[in-house]
Amino acid sequence: MRRTLPATLLLIAGLPLLASAALALGTLFDAAAWHALAQDPRLLRALGLSLWTGLASTALAWWATRALLSQAFVQQRLAALLRGLPAMLATPHAAFAIGLAFLLAPSGWVLRALSPWLTGFDFPPPWPTTQDPWGLDLIAALVFKEIPFLLWTAATQLQRDDVRQRWRAEHALAQTLGYTPRRAFALVVWPQLAPRLAGPLLAVLAYGLTVVDMALVIGPASPPTLAVLAWQWLQDADLATHAQGAAAGGVLVLAVLVSALLWQAVQALARRHTRQANGWRGRAPGPQRSGLPWGAGLLAAVYAAVLLALAVGSVAGIWPFPALWPEAFTPQAWQSVWASRGTVLTTLGLAAASSALALAWAVAWLECATRRWDAALRPLLYAPLVLPAVLWVVGLYRLALWLRWEGLWPALLLAHTLMALPYVLLALAPAYSGFDPRYRAISDSLGHGHWHFLLRIKWPLLRRALAASAAVGCAVSVAQYLPTLYLGAGRWATVTTEAVTLAAGAQRSLTSAYAALQWLLPVLGFAPAAWVGRPRRFTVHPT
């Protein structure tokens, strides 16, 4: 059975992935759509904005992640750096964008705190502090959201005992040769860690180039990024306009591929320059930079400010500018959320079911698939991370039409499971693959069967990784916007679709309530995961 299970698992997840990808790519072979796209005057500007925001946010997040990891590794404070990551990872992208927009808006908290004593403003100024035409707000939101993800994926490598001990020894050896701790990290540890983050980095780059929900909330509007423009075209009932949106999705695929190749070339040049300038046989290292001693604190402060803005905004009544606090508080927004509690139940049901299915599939795959199968097919399983969402959902929608699932719960569950699966697998694979095989040998020597080993030894020891992976799956499901919008066909609403829709209106308190709920629901998944994964304590009773 274990020999045939990988093929069965591949059929379960691989066929929908391949079918939806093929159906999505099949929409690109329309010459008229490509011609219409090329003639659209907004194309070059929208494509430029997508490239600028995606590449700039990826570069800044990568640089900040390296600086924070260097500081934590040198000071042996990795655990302290990672302590606040669950709350940051639980914050959906759209919710973070909404909270950041409320902070930076002309009537937001930042200008309120500075007015009128410093700015002299008695009324909100007509400044483009949100949805600015240069995409700076979108870049900032992407950077602050992707740093925790990159730190988390790096931690899965640094927390492995074998890897950590070997890198610590090599780091100490480099210092005996005259290199400072930070330079030793840059020359010894980072060149080994960075290639292991290539997959997560590609996911960050692809998301930054093709993001829709965050760009709708805080990105430029006239023109928008190409992903938003493609989404608007795909929503049009006219078949020619719809095909033009699919062609724009094809342009985004090419942008991701070209940007990834360009990024690899730049990284290769940077590594070559580093080896030539600071090689073991080269000149002595120059003066060291101070790094980012305040970086972790700044990251935590931004998230705290965003969540506080959402919390206060959700209960704010009359709030004239430039008052720092509302004149009155009201639960009206939360009463409206309670009146629409079916939306919350739909979100929770999808999150629980999709994360459970994704976790079960990931465990079965990691347990039964051979290394050859895993190495060959892992890129396929990570496809939802790198394909543009606007094109991916077109394939999923056509697959749902073929199955006659349009607007049905199974279609939503399939979409959410396929989107959660790569994240769950990414979270679980390092711990599962690094499990000490000697435990299995001891169990076999005692005459226990395979299921006894799994249920009594392996899975209990991996309960922290299993619980964390399930929580990640829940968070990914809660954050889904485009799959819910397309496959739900307007019949199903989640807190994310409601929050993004309300963000375009003037209902600040209701928008804040739904955005805060976007954060609270994943926390409901991460809190039990933290409790399940807590260290076990044993009490020895005197005899």
Side-chain angles (χ1 to χ4, degrees), residues 333-514:
W334 288 103
Q335 290 172 352
S336 299
V337 171
W338 176 251
S340 303
R341 54 188 175 275
T343 299
V344 180
L345 295 177
T346 299
T347 306
L348 286 173
L350 282 171
S354 60
S355 62
L357 289 175
L359 180 63
W361 192 98
V363 169
W365 178 261
L366 293 172
E367 185 64 34
C368 300
T370 63
R371 288 189 176 182
R372 181 184 302 176
W373 278 72
D374 189 47
L377 299 174
R378 187 72 70 88
L380 171 63
L381 302 175
Y382 288 158
L385 297 180
V386 296
L387 282 179
V390 290
L391 190 61
W392 180 258
V393 295
V394 171
L396 286 175
Y397 181 70
R398 293 196 170 195
L399 179 61
L401 287 177
W402 181 72
L403 294 172
R404 297 186 178 182
W405 284 1
E406 180 191 11
L408 299 181
W409 174 272
L412 283 179
L413 182 59
L414 174 64
H416 281 235
T417 302
L418 292 179
M419 296 302 294
L421 177 58
Y423 289 96
V424 172
L425 190 60
L426 192 66
L428 185 60
Y432 213 96
S433 302
F435 190 79
D436 195 335
R438 291 176 295 182
Y439 286 109
R440 174 64 187 275
I442 295 174
S443 177
D444 291 343
S445 68
L446 295 175
H448 297 305
H450 184 68
W451 281 106
H452 182 277
F453 167 70
L454 292 177
L455 295 174
R456 302 296 297 273
I457 300 174
K458 188 172 186 176
W459 290 345
L461 290 176
L462 290 174
R463 67 187 184 280
R464 183 175 185 177
L466 293 170
S469 301
V472 168
C474 287
V476 171
S477 174
V478 170
Q480 292 307 306
Y481 175 66
L482 288 180
T484 307
L485 203 64
Y486 274 85
L487 278 78
R491 303 176 190 174
W492 302 91
T494 64
V495 294
T496 298
T497 59
E498 291 294 307
V500 175
T501 302
L502 289 168
Q507 295 178 292
R508 180 180 183 134
S509 59
L510 190 57
T511 304
S512 298
Y514 271 104

